[in-house]
């Protein structure tokens, strides 16, 4: 007696095969590793919000009146920001609940397209070091930025070199403070003004020094 012939497998429809291939390619596209940046990569980029946990709010608290069916939105911390800037904008201080940040325009620290500190730069950086001492901070970020003129690669290198130059002075001033530094060059990323005007580009060419406040 002959064994029964197994049923034939259905032939894949061309549209089904094409769709499966497209889904496979799409999956591969979204799982590929991102391209590395020229610098070490941002750890905590400028503009990152507060890391403090939001306050807990009891929606059933007797003093809290909600309409029937209403719910509370997720709680979040809003930073109180105080900004002081010199008249010409050469130096800017920004205080939040958690951090102090100084931004110095490149023109007050360096010559054009240079990472060599000017004679007057050391005293400005030393003043920032004094503030770091007063706050008792042990972690300091030094970030360099440029405008969008010239190549992006050149801006990345120049901004990193300028950040390292400012770090060198801070390290001398705070040699015994046991501070950990984070140094980054972001080039033309994270502008704070319009690069379409020279006034805006001047503000974007800067070095920022930030650190946690402990008062």
């Amino acid at each position: 007696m002959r064994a029964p012939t197994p049923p034939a497998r259905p032939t894949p429809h061309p549209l089904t095969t094409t769709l499966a291939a497209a889904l496979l390619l799409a999956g591969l596209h979204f799982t590929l590793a991102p391209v590395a940046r020229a610098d070490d990569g941002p750890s905590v980029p400028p503009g990152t919000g507060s890391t403090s946990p939001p306050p807990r709010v009891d929606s059933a608290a007797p003093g809290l009146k909600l309409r029937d069916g209403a719910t509370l939105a997720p709680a979040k911390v809003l930073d109180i920001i105080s900004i002081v800037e010199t008249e010409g904008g050469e130096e800017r201080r920004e205080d939040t609940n958690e951090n102090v940040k100084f931004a110095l325009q490149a023109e007050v620290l360096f010559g054009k397209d240079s990472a060599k500190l000017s004679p007057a730069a050391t005293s400005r950086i030393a003043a920032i070091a004094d503030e770091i001492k007063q706050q008792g901070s042990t972690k300091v970020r030094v970030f360099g930025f440029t405008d969008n003129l010239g190549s992006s690669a050149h801006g990345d290198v120049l901004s990193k070199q300028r950040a390292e130059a400012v770090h060198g002075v801070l390290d001398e001033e705070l040699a015994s403070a046991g501070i950990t530094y984070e140094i980054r060059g972001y080039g033309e990323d994270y502008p704070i003004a319009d690069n379409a005007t020279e006034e805006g580009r001047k503000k974007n060419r800067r070095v920022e020094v930030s650190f946690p406040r402990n008062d």
Side-chain angles (χ1 to χ4, degrees), residues 53-70:
R56 299 185 63 180
V57 180
D58 183 6
S59 60
L64 187 61
K65 303 294 184 181
L66 294 176
R67 292 189 305 174
D68 292 341

Side-chain angles (χ1 to χ4, degrees), residues 37-43 160 183-185:
R37 292 180 56 82
D39 195 18
D40 301 326
S43 57
K160 182 69 175 293
I183 305 156
R184 294 284 186 271

Side-chain angles (χ1 to χ4, degrees), residues 126-148:
I128 297 176
D130 289 339
E131 182 66 25
I132 296 172
K133 291 177 184 176
Q134 291 179 21
Q135 293 293 340
S137 301
T138 57
K139 294 182 179 180
V140 176
R141 298 173 186 157
V142 187
F143 294 162
F145 306 85
T146 63
D147 56 29
N148 65 347

